[in-house]
Amino acid sequence: MSSTDQLTPFGRPMLKHFLFDPKYKNLNHGSFGTYPVQVRAALRKFQQDAEARPDAFIRWEQPRALDEARVAVAKVLNVPTNECVFVKNASTGVNTVLRNLVFNEGDVIVYFATIYGAMEKTIISISETTPVRGLKVEYQFPISHDELVKRFRDVVVGAKQKGLNVRLAVFDTIVSMPGVRFPFEKLVEACREEGILSLIDGAHAIGQIQLNLAQLDPDFFVSNCHKWLYTPRGCAVLYVPIRNQHLLRTTLPTSWGFIPRPDSLPTVRSVLPSPESPKSPFELLFQFVASTDDSPYLCTPTAIKFRQEVCGGEERIYNYLEQLANQAGDIVAAALGTEVLQEPDLLPGQVSQIRRCAMVTVRLPLAVGNNNNNNVSNNKSSHTTLLSPTVVPDVIDWMQKTMVDKYGTFVPVFQHGSWLWTRLSAQIYLEKSDFEWLAGVLKELCEKVARGEVSGEEKAKL
């Protein structure tokens, strides 16, 4: 980044720093993220250096750059550098923690109904090969933060009454679908009180909301830097406080930093890194994990510098994202004649806790089920379209593909409960007018679904 860069206003002027097709409006930052031109330059420089002098770069230059990246990301999280390492993504981080823990008969992992699908599959997979079992906290949005914590405590109490050992709880900072903020702060506190390890899947956290892990003090935390912090994919930070680092002895895949038990067979000493390194076994464990392109990790300082020098700092970004997300949700819901997903019975003037983030979820006027469904009947208006459950996947597929092919944009459409919803992502290169335009697109698509004006096999099924 050159010294001539100046603070850029948020909204349309910020687009000059990003790499989008001029004919494409990126309204789904939450799924895959993106990064600015300055970060691309850093990425290519690291990749060029690696190919120019492979041994010198991989053996000595990359570890130094990796340490600089760890220092930078630790400052954002407000934790010591020796408690932060990088992994490829949040799924890798959660898997790394879960597959390192030793489970016994009667152990239980508690998780929530809206857990990211890959994480639930991970828990199921582990339950097939170890004695641990998953126990789900059932619920459906809309629901308040307090009620979510209550249901968690009820599940924990019920498990203990059955003689089970609740070993660990897995939960989000911000749920992916629907896009809502989760009561992770209160859940960490509840885990501490109950003697349960807390594993936070913060895939959407770093770069989207303010974080202070020193104050929060979870047992494990992982967050994708490539979603909201503007690093290239895949790059995620895994935070493990020193008190828990002894629980992690291998990466995925197991590599040179593996920490064997004292009674294990003799192992070959690693040639990467040097045995004279002053770093802890935990830090060395994640320093070299197979021969992969780790240059996205090394771009973290450049991404953070961009956020400071071009965007005006973390707090300015967070405030803009949350404000724009709330405006976007209200704009789209008003155009569709529906509602934004928030706590039930929220009083005028009250702040929605689940909307305190950069994503917002809006109900579409598309219901699923039949006229006897009470949840639908209570919210049904004259412009609601009732869909048979059998056609829902095709309607969703048609709407999403049409957004890309005809309108040059994309927002996720998904079913939650008895309705179809859409998730909107605010970002510094977007502004209110983008969501006013999207509101018209979604309204037109919903009207076409209501009239059966979809194409091909989908039309035949409606």
Side-chain angles (χ1 to χ4, degrees):
M1 190 180 304
S2 70
S3 59
T4 59
D5 283 320
Q6 297 179 350
L7 199 66
T8 301
F10 291 149
R12 199 172 305 278
M14 189 62 73
L15 283 170
K16 68 181 180 181
H17 294 291
F18 289 86
L19 302 161
F20 301 118
D21 180 341
K23 297 180 180 179
Y24 187 80
K25 193 180 295 291
N26 193 52
L27 299 176
N28 185 34
H29 188 101
S31 283
F32 305 112
T34 192
Y35 52 88
V37 175
Q38 292 93 325
V39 173
R40 181 182 65 178
L43 175 68
R44 290 181 174 176
K45 178 64 165 58
F46 285 123
Q47 291 172 334
Q48 289 168 358
D49 289 350
E51 302 316 311
R53 290 158 39 98
D55 274 282
F57 182 84
I58 294 172
R59 291 176 184 274
W60 298 293
E61 294 173 32
Q62 179 169 292
R64 284 196 294 268
L66 183 62
D67 287 345
E68 293 176 4
R70 290 173 51 235
V71 169
V73 78
K75 288 181 180 178
V76 176
L77 298 177
N78 191 32
V79 290
T81 301
N82 63 0
E83 296 182 334
C84 291
V85 293
F86 285 103
V87 292
K88 292 299 180 185
N89 48 50
S91 296
T92 301
V94 171
N95 269 267
T96 300
V97 173
L98 292 182
R99 297 185 186 279
N100 268 279
L101 297 179
V102 178
F103 295 107
N104 301 308
E105 286 293 338
D107 283 353
V108 168
I109 299 172
V110 174
Y111 66 100
F112 289 80
T114 50
I115 191 173
Y116 186 60
M119 299 300 92
E120 182 171 34
K121 292 179 185 294
T122 298
I123 294 171
I124 294 170
S125 171
I126 290 174
S127 72
E128 292 179 351
T129 55
T130 75
V132 77
R133 293 292 176 266
L135 192 58
K136 186 187 298 186
V137 180
E138 296 286 359
Y139 60 93
Q140 182 178 303
F141 284 107
I143 187 173
S144 70
H145 276 189
D146 287 344
E147 179 63 21
L148 280 167
V149 176
K150 178 182 180 300
R151 294 199 187 190
F152 170 73
R153 289 186 180 273
D154 289 345
V155 168
V156 170
V157 170
K160 290 182 176 181
Q161 289 175 344
K162 295 178 182 178
L164 299 173
N165 176 40
V166 183
R167 180 77 185 284
L168 176 135
V170 182
F171 48 90
D172 299 288
T173 49
I174 299 166
V175 177
S176 178
M177 298 283 188
V180 298
R181 182 164 176 152
F182 217 60
F184 62 95
E185 301 97 333
K186 293 181 179 179
L187 289 170
V188 170
E189 183 179 348
C191 286
R192 190 177 298 117
E193 293 173 357
E194 297 288 347
I196 301 168
L197 291 172
S198 55
L199 170 53
I200 301 180
D201 176 7
H204 287 276
I206 191 169
Q208 180 176 171
I209 58 174
Q210 185 72 48
L211 294 168
N212 185 340
L213 296 192
Q215 180 179 338
L216 183 64
D217 196 27
D219 289 301
F220 306 97
F221 174 90
V222 62
S223 188
N224 288 325
C225 300
H226 59 247
K227 281 189 181 289
W228 297 90
L229 199 69
Y230 312 144
T231 71
R233 308 172 200 97
C235 175
V237 57
L238 172 62
Y239 161 77
V240 182
I242 290 176
R243 68 176 182 272
N244 292 327
Q245 291 180 3
H246 69 283
L247 296 173
L248 303 189
R249 298 191 299 109
T250 183
T251 53
L252 296 180
T254 298
S255 194
W256 288 98
F258 172 67
I259 306 168
R261 290 194 318 234
D263 59 346
S264 294
L265 293 173
T267 57
V268 178
R269 180 178 291 276
S270 167
V271 296
L272 286 170
S274 166
E276 286 77 31
S277 173
K279 298 175 188 174
S280 67
F282 171 74
E283 293 173 284
L284 296 178
L285 178 63
F286 289 89
Q287 182 164 293
F288 182 83
V289 183
S291 297
T292 62
D293 182 3
D294 292 339
S295 50
Y297 302 169
L298 314 182
C299 295
T300 305
T302 303
I304 293 173
K305 185 177 181 182
F306 170 84
R307 295 167 68 85
Q308 293 169 344
E309 296 184 356
V310 178
C311 303
E314 296 298 311
E315 186 174 357
R316 186 168 183 263
I317 295 172
Y318 304 145
N319 290 340
Y320 182 81
L321 296 186
E322 183 175 334
Q323 180 182 34
L324 180 59
N326 279 275
Q327 291 173 336
D330 293 340
I331 288 168
V332 173
L336 298 178
T338 60
E339 61 188 348
V340 177
L341 182 60
Q342 59 187 29
E343 296 87 339
D345 305 320
L346 196 68
L347 298 176
Q350 280 188 315
V351 176
S352 169
Q353 295 303 304
I354 67 177
R355 291 178 65 175
R356 289 181 51 232
C357 60
M359 297 192 295
V360 66
T361 303
V362 178
R363 181 168 61 83
L364 302 179
L366 302 174
V368 182
N370 53 63
N371 288 313
N372 297 323
N373 187 320
N374 290 332
N375 193 28
V376 171
S377 300
N378 292 338
N379 292 279
K380 189 175 180 181
S381 63
S382 59
H383 65 279
T384 297
T385 301
L386 194 61
L387 301 173
S388 166
T390 59
V391 307
V392 167
D394 297 300
V395 169
I396 291 174
D397 187 60
W398 176 81
M399 291 184 72
Q400 293 185 149
K401 287 182 177 178
T402 302
M403 277 189 273
V404 174
D405 295 341
K406 182 177 179 180
Y407 299 99
T409 194
F410 183 95
V411 289
V413 176
F414 59 95
Q415 181 179 350
H416 183 70
S418 301
W419 296 89
L420 296 192
W421 303 75
T422 186
R423 186 193 73 187
L424 316 178
S425 295
Q427 197 42 258
I428 59 172
Y429 49 76
L430 298 173
E431 55 191 40
K432 283 176 60 178
S433 62
D434 295 310
F435 295 99
E436 291 168 346
W437 172 82
L438 175 66
V441 171
L442 290 172
K443 185 175 182 180
E444 183 175 331
L445 290 174
C446 290
E447 289 172 349
K448 287 187 176 182
V449 171
R451 296 193 298 265
E453 295 179 12
V454 296
S455 60
E457 296 180 4
E458 292 88 352
K459 182 175 182 179
K461 293 178 182 179
L462 286 177

